[in-house]
PDB file of all heavy atoms in Angstrom:
ATOM      1  N   ASP A  32      10.064 -30.078 -68.398  1.00 80.00           N
ATOM      2  CA  ASP A  32       9.563 -31.408 -68.774  1.00 80.00           C
ATOM      3  C   ASP A  32       9.924 -31.781 -70.201  1.00 80.00           C
ATOM      4  O   ASP A  32       9.983 -32.974 -70.545  1.00 80.00           O
ATOM      5  CB  ASP A  32       8.041 -31.467 -68.591  1.00 80.00           C
ATOM      6  CG  ASP A  32       7.645 -31.326 -67.124  1.00 80.00           C
ATOM      7  OD1 ASP A  32       8.494 -31.635 -66.259  1.00 80.00           O
ATOM      8  OD2 ASP A  32       6.501 -30.906 -66.859  1.00 80.00           O
ATOM      9  N   ASP A  33      10.172 -30.774 -71.059  1.00 80.00           N
ATOM     10  CA  ASP A  33      10.531 -31.038 -72.453  1.00 80.00           C
ATOM     11  C   ASP A  33      12.031 -31.157 -72.650  1.00 80.00           C
ATOM     12  O   ASP A  33      12.507 -31.305 -73.786  1.00 80.00           O
ATOM     13  CB  ASP A  33       9.983 -29.921 -73.356  1.00 80.00           C
ATOM     14  CG  ASP A  33       8.466 -29.864 -73.315  1.00 80.00           C
ATOM     15  OD1 ASP A  33       7.853 -30.952 -73.193  1.00 80.00           O
ATOM     16  OD2 ASP A  33       7.903 -28.754 -73.390  1.00 80.00           O
ATOM     17  N   GLY A  34      12.800 -31.060 -71.561  1.00 79.00           N
ATOM     18  CA  GLY A  34      14.247 -31.156 -71.668  1.00 79.00           C
ATOM     19  C   GLY A  34      14.918 -29.860 -72.045  1.00 79.00           C
ATOM     20  O   GLY A  34      16.121 -29.837 -72.345  1.00 79.00           O
ATOM     21  N   GLN A  35      14.175 -28.745 -72.022  1.00 85.00           N
ATOM     22  CA  GLN A  35      14.746 -27.447 -72.354  1.00 85.00           C
ATOM     23  C   GLN A  35      15.300 -26.773 -71.087  1.00 85.00           C
ATOM     24  O   GLN A  35      14.758 -26.940 -69.999  1.00 85.00           O
ATOM     25  CB  GLN A  35      13.679 -26.550 -72.995  1.00 85.00           C
ATOM     26  CG  GLN A  35      13.062 -27.129 -74.266  1.00 85.00           C
ATOM     27  CD  GLN A  35      14.078 -27.291 -75.375  1.00 85.00           C
ATOM     28  OE1 GLN A  35      14.907 -26.412 -75.611  1.00 85.00           O
ATOM     29  NE2 GLN A  35      14.019 -28.435 -76.062  1.00 85.00           N
ATOM     30  N   VAL A  36      16.357 -25.989 -71.271  1.00 89.00           N
ATOM     31  CA  VAL A  36      16.962 -25.286 -70.140  1.00 89.00           C
ATOM     32  C   VAL A  36      16.075 -24.112 -69.752  1.00 89.00           C
ATOM     33  O   VAL A  36      15.806 -23.227 -70.568  1.00 89.00           O
ATOM     34  CB  VAL A  36      18.373 -24.786 -70.495  1.00 89.00           C
ATOM     35  CG1 VAL A  36      18.960 -24.009 -69.312  1.00 89.00           C
ATOM     36  CG2 VAL A  36      19.281 -25.953 -70.856  1.00 89.00           C
ATOM     37  N   ARG A  37      15.597 -24.114 -68.505  1.00 91.00           N
ATOM     38  CA  ARG A  37      14.786 -22.994 -68.017  1.00 91.00           C
ATOM     39  C   ARG A  37      15.531 -22.135 -67.003  1.00 91.00           C
ATOM     40  O   ARG A  37      15.109 -21.017 -66.708  1.00 91.00           O
ATOM     41  CB  ARG A  37      13.493 -23.508 -67.401  1.00 91.00           C
ATOM     42  CG  ARG A  37      13.660 -24.459 -66.230  1.00 91.00           C
ATOM     43  CD  ARG A  37      12.303 -24.938 -65.713  1.00 91.00           C
ATOM     44  NE  ARG A  37      12.402 -25.953 -64.679  1.00 91.00           N
ATOM     45  CZ  ARG A  37      12.584 -25.699 -63.382  1.00 91.00           C
ATOM     46  NH1 ARG A  37      12.691 -24.446 -62.985  1.00 91.00           N
ATOM     47  NH2 ARG A  37      12.656 -26.683 -62.512  1.00 91.00           N
ATOM     48  N   GLU A  38      16.648 -22.664 -66.478  1.00 94.00           N
ATOM     49  CA  GLU A  38      17.417 -21.896 -65.485  1.00 94.00           C
ATOM     50  C   GLU A  38      18.864 -22.380 -65.492  1.00 94.00           C
ATOM     51  O   GLU A  38      19.130 -23.577 -65.596  1.00 94.00           O
ATOM     52  CB  GLU A  38      16.806 -22.069 -64.087  1.00 94.00           C
ATOM     53  CG  GLU A  38      17.474 -21.219 -63.010  1.00 94.00           C
ATOM     54  CD  GLU A  38      16.807 -21.418 -61.652  1.00 94.00           C
ATOM     55  OE1 GLU A  38      17.112 -22.453 -61.008  1.00 94.00           O
ATOM     56  OE2 GLU A  38      15.996 -20.579 -61.255  1.00 94.00           O
ATOM     57  N   LEU A  39      19.778 -21.427 -65.395  1.00 95.00           N
ATOM     58  CA  LEU A  39      21.201 -21.739 -65.319  1.00 95.00           C
ATOM     59  C   LEU A  39      21.763 -21.109 -64.055  1.00 95.00           C
ATOM     60  O   LEU A  39      21.608 -19.902 -63.834  1.00 95.00           O
ATOM     61  CB  LEU A  39      21.939 -21.212 -66.554  1.00 95.00           C
ATOM     62  CG  LEU A  39      23.470 -21.230 -66.487  1.00 95.00           C
ATOM     63  CD1 LEU A  39      23.994 -22.657 -66.362  1.00 95.00           C
ATOM     64  CD2 LEU A  39      24.069 -20.533 -67.719  1.00 95.00           C
ATOM     65  N   ILE A  40      22.417 -21.940 -63.243  1.00 96.00           N
ATOM     66  CA  ILE A  40      23.070 -21.453 -62.020  1.00 96.00           C
ATOM     67  C   ILE A  40      24.567 -21.642 -62.192  1.00 96.00           C
ATOM     68  O   ILE A  40      25.033 -22.764 -62.429  1.00 96.00           O
ATOM     69  CB  ILE A  40      22.581 -22.214 -60.766  1.00 96.00           C
ATOM     70  CG1 ILE A  40      21.066 -22.116 -60.630  1.00 96.00           C
ATOM     71  CG2 ILE A  40      23.267 -21.684 -59.522  1.00 96.00           C
ATOM     72  CD1 ILE A  40      20.509 -22.935 -59.471  1.00 96.00           C
ATOM     73  N   GLN A  41      25.300 -20.551 -62.081  1.00 96.00           N
ATOM     74  CA  GLN A  41      26.762 -20.594 -62.153  1.00 96.00           C
ATOM     75  C   GLN A  41      27.321 -20.154 -60.804  1.00 96.00           C
ATOM     76  O   GLN A  41      26.891 -19.137 -60.245  1.00 96.00           O
ATOM     77  CB  GLN A  41      27.268 -19.668 -63.262  1.00 96.00           C
ATOM     78  CG  GLN A  41      26.803 -20.081 -64.654  1.00 96.00           C
ATOM     79  CD  GLN A  41      27.078 -19.007 -65.689  1.00 96.00           C
ATOM     80  OE1 GLN A  41      26.443 -17.941 -65.675  1.00 96.00           O
ATOM     81  NE2 GLN A  41      28.011 -19.286 -66.580  1.00 96.00           N
ATOM     82  N   ALA A  42      28.256 -20.934 -60.274  1.00 96.00           N
ATOM     83  CA  ALA A  42      28.820 -20.637 -58.962  1.00 96.00           C
ATOM     84  C   ALA A  42      30.327 -20.850 -58.979  1.00 96.00           C
ATOM     85  O   ALA A  42      30.831 -21.738 -59.686  1.00 96.00           O
ATOM     86  CB  ALA A  42      28.182 -21.508 -57.886  1.00 96.00           C
ATOM     87  N   THR A  43      31.010 -20.021 -58.203  1.00 96.00           N
ATOM     88  CA  THR A  43      32.465 -20.152 -58.115  1.00 96.00           C
ATOM     89  C   THR A  43      32.862 -21.439 -57.424  1.00 96.00           C
ATOM     90  O   THR A  43      33.770 -22.148 -57.860  1.00 96.00           O
ATOM     91  CB  THR A  43      33.058 -18.951 -57.363  1.00 96.00           C
ATOM     92  OG1 THR A  43      32.649 -17.743 -58.010  1.00 96.00           O
ATOM     93  CG2 THR A  43      34.574 -19.023 -57.330  1.00 96.00           C
ATOM     94  N   ARG A  44      32.165 -21.767 -56.342  1.00 94.00           N
ATOM     95  CA  ARG A  44      32.464 -22.985 -55.586  1.00 94.00           C
ATOM     96  C   ARG A  44      31.242 -23.372 -54.776  1.00 94.00           C
ATOM     97  O   ARG A  44      30.250 -22.631 -54.733  1.00 94.00           O
ATOM     98  CB  ARG A  44      33.666 -22.764 -54.652  1.00 94.00           C
ATOM     99  CG  ARG A  44      33.418 -21.743 -53.566  1.00 94.00           C
ATOM    100  CD  ARG A  44      34.649 -21.484 -52.729  1.00 94.00           C
ATOM    101  NE  ARG A  44      34.365 -20.634 -51.589  1.00 94.00           N
ATOM    102  CZ  ARG A  44      34.310 -19.318 -51.609  1.00 94.00           C
ATOM    103  NH1 ARG A  44      34.527 -18.689 -52.759  1.00 94.00           N
ATOM    104  NH2 ARG A  44      34.037 -18.621 -50.524  1.00 94.00           N
ATOM    105  N   ALA A  45      31.323 -24.529 -54.123  1.00 93.00           N
ATOM    106  CA  ALA A  45      30.208 -25.006 -53.298  1.00 93.00           C
ATOM    107  C   ALA A  45      30.747 -25.840 -52.153  1.00 93.00           C
ATOM    108  O   ALA A  45      31.790 -26.482 -52.263  1.00 93.00           O
ATOM    109  CB  ALA A  45      29.228 -25.823 -54.127  1.00 93.00           C
ATOM    110  N   ASP A  46      30.021 -25.821 -51.049  1.00 91.00           N
ATOM    111  CA  ASP A  46      30.290 -26.711 -49.921  1.00 91.00           C
ATOM    112  C   ASP A  46      29.194 -27.759 -49.883  1.00 91.00           C
ATOM    113  O   ASP A  46      28.004 -27.426 -49.876  1.00 91.00           O
ATOM    114  CB  ASP A  46      30.315 -25.932 -48.601  1.00 91.00           C
ATOM    115  CG  ASP A  46      31.511 -25.005 -48.504  1.00 91.00           C
ATOM    116  OD1 ASP A  46      32.637 -25.489 -48.694  1.00 91.00           O
ATOM    117  OD2 ASP A  46      31.316 -23.796 -48.248  1.00 91.00           O
ATOM    118  N   VAL A  47      29.596 -29.038 -49.880  1.00 88.00           N
ATOM    119  CA  VAL A  47      28.631 -30.130 -49.782  1.00 88.00           C
ATOM    120  C   VAL A  47      28.344 -30.339 -48.299  1.00 88.00           C
ATOM    121  O   VAL A  47      29.125 -30.954 -47.576  1.00 88.00           O
ATOM    122  CB  VAL A  47      29.182 -31.421 -50.417  1.00 88.00           C
ATOM    123  CG1 VAL A  47      28.156 -32.536 -50.334  1.00 88.00           C
ATOM    124  CG2 VAL A  47      29.578 -31.168 -51.871  1.00 88.00           C
ATOM    125  N   ILE A  48      27.228 -29.785 -47.840  1.00 83.00           N
ATOM    126  CA  ILE A  48      26.923 -29.796 -46.407  1.00 83.00           C
ATOM    127  C   ILE A  48      25.986 -30.930 -46.012  1.00 83.00           C
ATOM    128  O   ILE A  48      25.626 -31.059 -44.846  1.00 83.00           O
ATOM    129  CB  ILE A  48      26.307 -28.445 -45.982  1.00 83.00           C
ATOM    130  CG1 ILE A  48      25.056 -28.132 -46.791  1.00 83.00           C
ATOM    131  CG2 ILE A  48      27.332 -27.330 -46.148  1.00 83.00           C
ATOM    132  CD1 ILE A  48      24.383 -26.831 -46.409  1.00 83.00           C
ATOM    133  N   GLY A  49      25.591 -31.755 -46.972  1.00 79.00           N
ATOM    134  CA  GLY A  49      24.720 -32.893 -46.678  1.00 79.00           C
ATOM    135  C   GLY A  49      24.621 -33.786 -47.897  1.00 79.00           C
ATOM    136  O   GLY A  49      25.106 -33.435 -48.986  1.00 79.00           O
ATOM    137  N   PRO A  50      23.989 -34.947 -47.755  1.00 74.00           N
ATOM    138  CA  PRO A  50      23.860 -35.872 -48.890  1.00 74.00           C
ATOM    139  C   PRO A  50      23.166 -35.255 -50.093  1.00 74.00           C
ATOM    140  O   PRO A  50      23.467 -35.604 -51.226  1.00 74.00           O
ATOM    141  CB  PRO A  50      23.041 -37.033 -48.308  1.00 74.00           C
ATOM    142  CG  PRO A  50      23.229 -36.941 -46.828  1.00 74.00           C
ATOM    143  CD  PRO A  50      23.380 -35.486 -46.521  1.00 74.00           C
ATOM    144  N   ASP A  51      22.234 -34.348 -49.842  1.00 81.00           N
ATOM    145  CA  ASP A  51      21.502 -33.726 -50.946  1.00 81.00           C
ATOM    146  C   ASP A  51      21.424 -32.208 -50.778  1.00 81.00           C
ATOM    147  O   ASP A  51      20.456 -31.586 -51.224  1.00 81.00           O
ATOM    148  CB  ASP A  51      20.094 -34.317 -51.051  1.00 81.00           C
ATOM    149  CG  ASP A  51      19.317 -34.202 -49.738  1.00 81.00           C
ATOM    150  OD1 ASP A  51      19.913 -33.730 -48.747  1.00 81.00           O
ATOM    151  OD2 ASP A  51      18.130 -34.573 -49.714  1.00 81.00           O
ATOM    152  N   ALA A  52      22.427 -31.625 -50.142  1.00 88.00           N
ATOM    153  CA  ALA A  52      22.406 -30.177 -49.899  1.00 88.00           C
ATOM    154  C   ALA A  52      23.772 -29.583 -50.205  1.00 88.00           C
ATOM    155  O   ALA A  52      24.789 -30.022 -49.658  1.00 88.00           O
ATOM    156  CB  ALA A  52      22.009 -29.886 -48.448  1.00 88.00           C
ATOM    157  N   TRP A  53      23.790 -28.600 -51.106  1.00 91.00           N
ATOM    158  CA  TRP A  53      25.000 -27.859 -51.441  1.00 91.00           C
ATOM    159  C   TRP A  53      24.773 -26.393 -51.063  1.00 91.00           C
ATOM    160  O   TRP A  53      23.660 -25.879 -51.158  1.00 91.00           O
ATOM    161  CB  TRP A  53      25.303 -27.928 -52.938  1.00 91.00           C
ATOM    162  CG  TRP A  53      25.772 -29.275 -53.412  1.00 91.00           C
ATOM    163  CD1 TRP A  53      25.509 -30.487 -52.852  1.00 91.00           C
ATOM    164  CD2 TRP A  53      26.553 -29.531 -54.577  1.00 91.00           C
ATOM    165  NE1 TRP A  53      26.087 -31.489 -53.584  1.00 91.00           N
ATOM    166  CE2 TRP A  53      26.736 -30.934 -54.659  1.00 91.00           C
ATOM    167  CE3 TRP A  53      27.122 -28.721 -55.556  1.00 91.00           C
ATOM    168  CZ2 TRP A  53      27.465 -31.532 -55.689  1.00 91.00           C
ATOM    169  CZ3 TRP A  53      27.851 -29.318 -56.584  1.00 91.00           C
ATOM    170  CH2 TRP A  53      28.017 -30.707 -56.637  1.00 91.00           C
ATOM    171  N   LEU A  54      25.833 -25.726 -50.659  1.00 92.00           N
ATOM    172  CA  LEU A  54      25.802 -24.287 -50.420  1.00 92.00           C
ATOM    173  C   LEU A  54      26.698 -23.638 -51.463  1.00 92.00           C
ATOM    174  O   LEU A  54      27.921 -23.747 -51.407  1.00 92.00           O
ATOM    175  CB  LEU A  54      26.285 -23.955 -49.007  1.00 92.00           C
ATOM    176  CG  LEU A  54      26.239 -22.463 -48.638  1.00 92.00           C
ATOM    177  CD1 LEU A  54      24.799 -21.950 -48.658  1.00 92.00           C
ATOM    178  CD2 LEU A  54      26.861 -22.220 -47.268  1.00 92.00           C
ATOM    179  N   LEU A  55      26.051 -22.981 -52.437  1.00 95.00           N
ATOM    180  CA  LEU A  55      26.777 -22.354 -53.542  1.00 95.00           C
ATOM    181  C   LEU A  55      27.284 -20.981 -53.131  1.00 95.00           C
ATOM    182  O   LEU A  55      26.583 -20.225 -52.446  1.00 95.00           O
ATOM    183  CB  LEU A  55      25.868 -22.236 -54.763  1.00 95.00           C
ATOM    184  CG  LEU A  55      25.189 -23.523 -55.249  1.00 95.00           C
ATOM    185  CD1 LEU A  55      24.241 -23.221 -56.405  1.00 95.00           C
ATOM    186  CD2 LEU A  55      26.219 -24.556 -55.657  1.00 95.00           C
ATOM    187  N   HIS A  56      28.497 -20.646 -53.540  1.00 94.00           N
ATOM    188  CA  HIS A  56      29.097 -19.347 -53.230  1.00 94.00           C
ATOM    189  C   HIS A  56      29.270 -18.543 -54.514  1.00 94.00           C
ATOM    190  O   HIS A  56      29.649 -19.084 -55.558  1.00 94.00           O
ATOM    191  CB  HIS A  56      30.459 -19.528 -52.553  1.00 94.00           C
ATOM    192  CG  HIS A  56      30.389 -20.231 -51.234  1.00 94.00           C
ATOM    193  ND1 HIS A  56      30.201 -19.572 -50.035  1.00 94.00           N
ATOM    194  CD2 HIS A  56      30.465 -21.550 -50.919  1.00 94.00           C
ATOM    195  CE1 HIS A  56      30.182 -20.445 -49.040  1.00 94.00           C
ATOM    196  NE2 HIS A  56      30.337 -21.650 -49.549  1.00 94.00           N
ATOM    197  N   ASP A  57      29.014 -17.238 -54.412  1.00 96.00           N
ATOM    198  CA  ASP A  57      29.137 -16.324 -55.544  1.00 96.00           C
ATOM    199  C   ASP A  57      28.365 -16.869 -56.743  1.00 96.00           C
ATOM    200  O   ASP A  57      28.918 -17.120 -57.814  1.00 96.00           O
ATOM    201  CB  ASP A  57      30.618 -16.124 -55.889  1.00 96.00           C
ATOM    202  CG  ASP A  57      30.823 -14.992 -56.893  1.00 96.00           C
ATOM    203  OD1 ASP A  57      29.916 -14.143 -57.027  1.00 96.00           O
ATOM    204  OD2 ASP A  57      31.880 -14.976 -57.557  1.00 96.00           O
ATOM    205  N   ALA A  58      27.057 -17.038 -56.547  1.00 96.00           N
ATOM    206  CA  ALA A  58      26.213 -17.690 -57.548  1.00 96.00           C
ATOM    207  C   ALA A  58      25.489 -16.666 -58.424  1.00 96.00           C
ATOM    208  O   ALA A  58      25.008 -15.637 -57.937  1.00 96.00           O
ATOM    209  CB  ALA A  58      25.184 -18.582 -56.867  1.00 96.00           C
ATOM    210  N   LEU A  59      25.430 -16.941 -59.700  1.00 96.00           N
ATOM    211  CA  LEU A  59      24.670 -16.145 -60.671  1.00 96.00           C
ATOM    212  C   LEU A  59      23.564 -17.026 -61.232  1.00 96.00           C
ATOM    213  O   LEU A  59      23.830 -18.063 -61.837  1.00 96.00           O
ATOM    214  CB  LEU A  59      25.578 -15.649 -61.799  1.00 96.00           C
ATOM    215  CG  LEU A  59      24.872 -14.895 -62.939  1.00 96.00           C
ATOM    216  CD1 LEU A  59      24.249 -13.596 -62.424  1.00 96.00           C
ATOM    217  CD2 LEU A  59      25.841 -14.613 -64.085  1.00 96.00           C
ATOM    218  N   VAL A  60      22.296 -16.603 -61.025  1.00 96.00           N
ATOM    219  CA  VAL A  60      21.143 -17.374 -61.472  1.00 96.00           C
ATOM    220  C   VAL A  60      20.528 -16.673 -62.685  1.00 96.00           C
ATOM    221  O   VAL A  60      20.143 -15.507 -62.602  1.00 96.00           O
ATOM    222  CB  VAL A  60      20.084 -17.509 -60.348  1.00 96.00           C
ATOM    223  CG1 VAL A  60      18.891 -18.306 -60.847  1.00 96.00           C
ATOM    224  CG2 VAL A  60      20.703 -18.167 -59.127  1.00 96.00           C
ATOM    225  N   THR A  61      20.473 -17.402 -63.782  1.00 95.00           N
ATOM    226  CA  THR A  61      19.899 -16.865 -65.022  1.00 95.00           C
ATOM    227  C   THR A  61      18.640 -17.659 -65.353  1.00 95.00           C
ATOM    228  O   THR A  61      18.710 -18.879 -65.533  1.00 95.00           O
ATOM    229  CB  THR A  61      20.904 -16.971 -66.184  1.00 95.00           C
ATOM    230  OG1 THR A  61      22.119 -16.300 -65.838  1.00 95.00           O
ATOM    231  CG2 THR A  61      20.327 -16.362 -67.446  1.00 95.00           C
ATOM    232  N   ARG A  62      17.501 -16.950 -65.430  1.00 93.00           N
ATOM    233  CA  ARG A  62      16.227 -17.606 -65.743  1.00 93.00           C
ATOM    234  C   ARG A  62      15.804 -17.234 -67.155  1.00 93.00           C
ATOM    235  O   ARG A  62      15.769 -16.048 -67.518  1.00 93.00           O
ATOM    236  CB  ARG A  62      15.144 -17.182 -64.746  1.00 93.00           C
ATOM    237  CG  ARG A  62      15.395 -17.688 -63.323  1.00 93.00           C
ATOM    238  CD  ARG A  62      14.248 -17.300 -62.395  1.00 93.00           C
ATOM    239  NE  ARG A  62      14.450 -17.827 -61.040  1.00 93.00           N
ATOM    240  CZ  ARG A  62      15.144 -17.202 -60.102  1.00 93.00           C
ATOM    241  NH1 ARG A  62      15.682 -16.009 -60.360  1.00 93.00           N
ATOM    242  NH2 ARG A  62      15.291 -17.757 -58.908  1.00 93.00           N
ATOM    243  N   PHE A  63      15.488 -18.252 -67.930  1.00 89.00           N
ATOM    244  CA  PHE A  63      15.077 -18.047 -69.307  1.00 89.00           C
ATOM    245  C   PHE A  63      13.550 -18.080 -69.355  1.00 89.00           C
ATOM    246  O   PHE A  63      12.931 -19.141 -69.248  1.00 89.00           O
ATOM    247  CB  PHE A  63      15.673 -19.137 -70.211  1.00 89.00           C
ATOM    248  CG  PHE A  63      17.174 -19.177 -70.178  1.00 89.00           C
ATOM    249  CD1 PHE A  63      17.841 -20.059 -69.332  1.00 89.00           C
ATOM    250  CD2 PHE A  63      17.917 -18.324 -70.973  1.00 89.00           C
ATOM    251  CE1 PHE A  63      19.221 -20.105 -69.300  1.00 89.00           C
ATOM    252  CE2 PHE A  63      19.308 -18.349 -70.941  1.00 89.00           C
ATOM    253  CZ  PHE A  63      19.968 -19.234 -70.099  1.00 89.00           C
ATOM    254  N   GLU A  64      12.974 -16.900 -69.501  1.00 81.00           N
ATOM    255  CA  GLU A  64      11.517 -16.783 -69.540  1.00 81.00           C
ATOM    256  C   GLU A  64      11.041 -16.646 -70.974  1.00 81.00           C
ATOM    257  O   GLU A  64      11.840 -16.623 -71.913  1.00 81.00           O
ATOM    258  CB  GLU A  64      11.077 -15.600 -68.668  1.00 81.00           C
ATOM    259  CG  GLU A  64      11.519 -15.764 -67.208  1.00 81.00           C
ATOM    260  CD  GLU A  64      11.191 -14.538 -66.363  1.00 81.00           C
ATOM    261  OE1 GLU A  64      10.744 -13.537 -66.944  1.00 81.00           O
ATOM    262  OE2 GLU A  64      11.402 -14.604 -65.135  1.00 81.00           O
ATOM    263  N   ALA A  65       9.754 -16.520 -71.142  1.00 73.00           N
ATOM    264  CA  ALA A  65       9.184 -16.526 -72.496  1.00 73.00           C
ATOM    265  C   ALA A  65       9.712 -15.375 -73.351  1.00 73.00           C
ATOM    266  O   ALA A  65      10.050 -15.566 -74.524  1.00 73.00           O
ATOM    267  CB  ALA A  65       7.661 -16.468 -72.408  1.00 73.00           C
ATOM    268  N   GLU A  66       9.816 -14.182 -72.764  1.00 76.00           N
ATOM    269  CA  GLU A  66      10.180 -13.018 -73.578  1.00 76.00           C
ATOM    270  C   GLU A  66      11.481 -12.365 -73.157  1.00 76.00           C
ATOM    271  O   GLU A  66      12.001 -11.511 -73.866  1.00 76.00           O
ATOM    272  CB  GLU A  66       9.052 -11.972 -73.501  1.00 76.00           C
ATOM    273  CG  GLU A  66       7.728 -12.480 -74.061  1.00 76.00           C
ATOM    274  CD  GLU A  66       6.636 -11.434 -73.968  1.00 76.00           C
ATOM    275  OE1 GLU A  66       6.922 -10.363 -73.376  1.00 76.00           O
ATOM    276  OE2 GLU A  66       5.523 -11.675 -74.465  1.00 76.00           O
ATOM    277  N   ASN A  67      12.016 -12.712 -72.023  1.00 86.00           N
ATOM    278  CA  ASN A  67      13.257 -12.066 -71.590  1.00 86.00           C
ATOM    279  C   ASN A  67      14.084 -13.028 -70.736  1.00 86.00           C
ATOM    280  O   ASN A  67      13.673 -14.146 -70.441  1.00 86.00           O
ATOM    281  CB  ASN A  67      12.952 -10.775 -70.824  1.00 86.00           C
ATOM    282  CG  ASN A  67      12.146 -11.060 -69.567  1.00 86.00           C
ATOM    283  OD1 ASN A  67      11.613 -12.154 -69.390  1.00 86.00           O
ATOM    284  ND2 ASN A  67      12.068 -10.078 -68.684  1.00 86.00           N
ATOM    285  N   VAL A  68      15.242 -12.545 -70.337  1.00 89.00           N
ATOM    286  CA  VAL A  68      16.179 -13.298 -69.492  1.00 89.00           C
ATOM    287  C   VAL A  68      16.413 -12.501 -68.226  1.00 89.00           C
ATOM    288  O   VAL A  68      16.768 -11.309 -68.289  1.00 89.00           O
ATOM    289  CB  VAL A  68      17.512 -13.555 -70.219  1.00 89.00           C
ATOM    290  CG1 VAL A  68      18.494 -14.260 -69.291  1.00 89.00           C
ATOM    291  CG2 VAL A  68      17.293 -14.379 -71.478  1.00 89.00           C
ATOM    292  N   ALA A  69      16.189 -13.126 -67.065  1.00 91.00           N
ATOM    293  CA  ALA A  69      16.375 -12.447 -65.779  1.00 91.00           C
ATOM    294  C   ALA A  69      17.573 -13.042 -65.055  1.00 91.00           C
ATOM    295  O   ALA A  69      17.763 -14.268 -65.044  1.00 91.00           O
ATOM    296  CB  ALA A  69      15.116 -12.614 -64.925  1.00 91.00           C
TER     297      ALA A  69
END
């Protein structure tokens, strides 16, 4: 809500399978938490 990045998703490619649905391939999800990064 404050405009800060809380999660980063990096993917090699994606298939657009619907108007609002993507299927990400080879995805790396990085979550920025209060004390660490997962």
